[in-house]
Amino acid sequence: MKYGINNQLGRQPTLNESMEMIGIAIEKGIEYIDTAAAYGDAELILGKYFKDNGISKNIKIISKLKPNSIEKTNKKNSVITECQDSLRRINIEQLDGYLLHTPEYIYDNEILEGMQEIKRKGYSKNIGVSIYNLKEGYEAIKTGLIDYIQLPYSMLDQRGIKSSFIHLAKEAGIKIFTRSSFLQGLFMMDYEKIPAYLNNAIPYLIDIENIIKRYNVDKVSAIMEFVKSETDIDYLVFGIEKKEQLLENIEKYKYNRVPTECIQEIKNKVCNVEESIIFPSLWANGKKVD
């Protein structure tokens, strides 16, 4: 997809670029590939890669139920059919995880029955939900059915840790994947290129930049270590548009050079950021873009 507010290419990667990046990720030890039926051609591209190269036993695939795809009648079968369609597109027999991409589906018992059936039939080893608001996360814990939760977590969006939600989920035996550490690339943008509807984010970004400069830390390392330092977070989900970003992110994730004092200072300085900044779905004056 043409994804990210700071998409420097202004386009989605070509098929050849995508195939090369998948190969590099696997070669460099990336353990999970996170995809979804709603991510443009992503599942089909993965399917082509695995058809041409085989699937490594070391790689795990997580996909998601397409939003607004469930028929009002026979929801359970709709969930199963959607999962089967993803498996066909990706060209694999079993997913490691299948997530609800519409968080509100966590309240629908019939949809949850479909998710459980997916697990029983072996279409996916684990089931879960991708959330934005924590209330759906608490409901997911309450069901006792969920293995995986994916949620945003970054310097600007610390809700999952500060509310103790992530800790509670871990205590319930749920594996935690956090995304949006770069907030669609917002952290990496030149201030003059930030759209007017995100001007309120600039003071926070300046505060963060001033802190990491004092500690002589580069921005990518600080962004990734901010997530990595939280022991209750199991995996950091990140997106890339070119192989140079992939290689840089892997390198800087592996070799931490960020003092704990720097991380703590950011946590103390950046608090309670408004939802209009941390929810991409509210960007562009409320126009849904994520």
Side-chain angles (χ1 to χ4, degrees):
M1 299 173 70
K2 298 176 183 177
Y3 183 79
I5 193 172
N6 193 32
N7 186 327
Q8 295 172 6
L9 298 178
R11 59 174 175 83
Q12 69 187 70
T14 66
L15 176 61
N16 287 340
E17 288 168 342
S18 297
M19 299 283 272
E20 183 183 16
M21 288 189 282
I22 295 166
I24 291 170
I26 294 171
E27 178 190 336
K28 294 289 184 180
I30 292 289
E31 187 175 349
Y32 284 89
I33 294 178
D34 177 86
T35 189
Y39 292 168
D41 300 327
E43 289 186 331
L44 291 169
I45 291 170
L46 284 170
K48 178 168 174 51
Y49 182 88
F50 296 137
K51 181 180 179 182
D52 292 350
N53 300 278
I55 181 165
S56 167
K57 62 181 179 180
N58 299 321
I59 200 75
K60 303 177 180 72
I61 309 296
I62 294 175
S63 194
K64 307 180 191 75
L65 177 65
K66 192 173 182 180
N68 306 313
S69 61
I70 301 303
E71 299 174 8
K72 291 183 179 179
T73 58
N74 213 343
K75 296 178 183 178
K76 180 178 175 179
N77 282 347
S78 290
V79 172
I80 296 168
T81 299
E82 286 292 329
C83 182
Q84 290 172 324
D85 288 345
S86 283
L87 288 170
R88 278 193 289 270
R89 285 190 290 266
I90 302 170
N91 201 30
I92 55 175
E93 294 182 357
Q94 185 183 55
L95 293 162
D96 179 79
Y98 195 59
L99 312 184
L100 299 174
H101 211 165
T102 305
E104 293 78 14
Y105 282 171
I106 197 69
Y107 301 107
D108 192 309
N109 288 332
E110 196 175 345
I111 290 176
L112 291 180
E113 286 174 13
M115 296 291 282
Q116 288 175 272
E117 188 68 12
I118 283 167
K119 194 173 173 181
R120 281 194 291 267
K121 287 180 177 291
Y123 297 144
S124 181
K125 290 182 181 178
N126 302 281
I127 57 174
V129 60
S130 176
I131 64 170
Y132 299 89
N133 291 297
L134 297 183
K135 62 180 182 178
E136 283 82 22
Y138 287 114
E139 180 66 21
I141 296 173
K142 195 164 72 174
T143 67
L145 303 173
I146 297 302
D147 305 301
Y148 290 174
I149 290 179
Q150 188 185 117
L151 73 157
Y153 185 73
S154 69
M155 294 173 178
L156 290 179
D157 186 358
Q158 302 174 40
R159 295 169 300 139
I161 291 294
K162 291 197 170 182
S163 66
S164 296
F165 166 76
I166 288 175
H167 184 67
L168 289 171
K170 286 293 293 179
E171 285 189 327
I174 295 170
K175 191 168 284 187
I176 300 296
F177 298 77
T178 64
R179 65 177 184 274
S180 299
S181 55
F182 291 87
L183 203 52
Q184 289 196 15
L186 175 62
F187 281 109
M188 308 305 294
M189 292 185 74
D190 296 332
Y191 299 143
E192 63 270 17
K193 293 182 180 179
I194 292 175
Y197 56 81
L198 280 173
N199 278 347
N200 288 347
I202 293 175
Y204 296 110
L205 297 174
I206 291 172
D207 284 342
I208 291 167
E209 188 144 351
N210 288 338
I211 292 169
I212 64 176
K213 278 182 179 176
R214 284 205 305 275
Y215 287 92
N216 196 28
V217 171
D218 74 276
K219 195 179 290 185
V220 172
S221 293
I223 287 167
M224 300 192 87
E225 184 58 28
F226 192 85
V227 179
K228 186 181 172 186
S229 66
E230 295 295 341
T231 57
D232 282 335
I233 295 174
D234 295 291
Y235 291 94
L236 184 159
V237 182
F238 66 89
I240 41 92
E241 62 191 72
K242 50 189 178 181
K243 68 179 180 181
E244 290 80 9
Q245 292 172 333
L246 174 61
L247 291 167
E248 180 185 21
N249 286 358
I250 292 172
E251 176 73 14
K252 291 183 175 177
Y253 183 87
K254 285 182 176 178
Y255 301 106
N256 166 37
R257 300 179 182 87
V258 184
T260 55
E261 295 84 0
C262 176
I263 300 298
Q264 193 57 52
E265 193 171 334
I266 293 169
K267 284 185 179 180
N268 295 338
K269 181 71 174 178
V270 183
C271 298
N272 303 317
V273 178
E274 49 266 41
E275 290 186 356
S276 61
I277 293 173
I278 62 174
F279 283 16
S281 59
L282 299 179
W283 291 357
N285 298 317
K287 181 182 177 182
K288 188 171 179 58
V289 294
D290 187 18

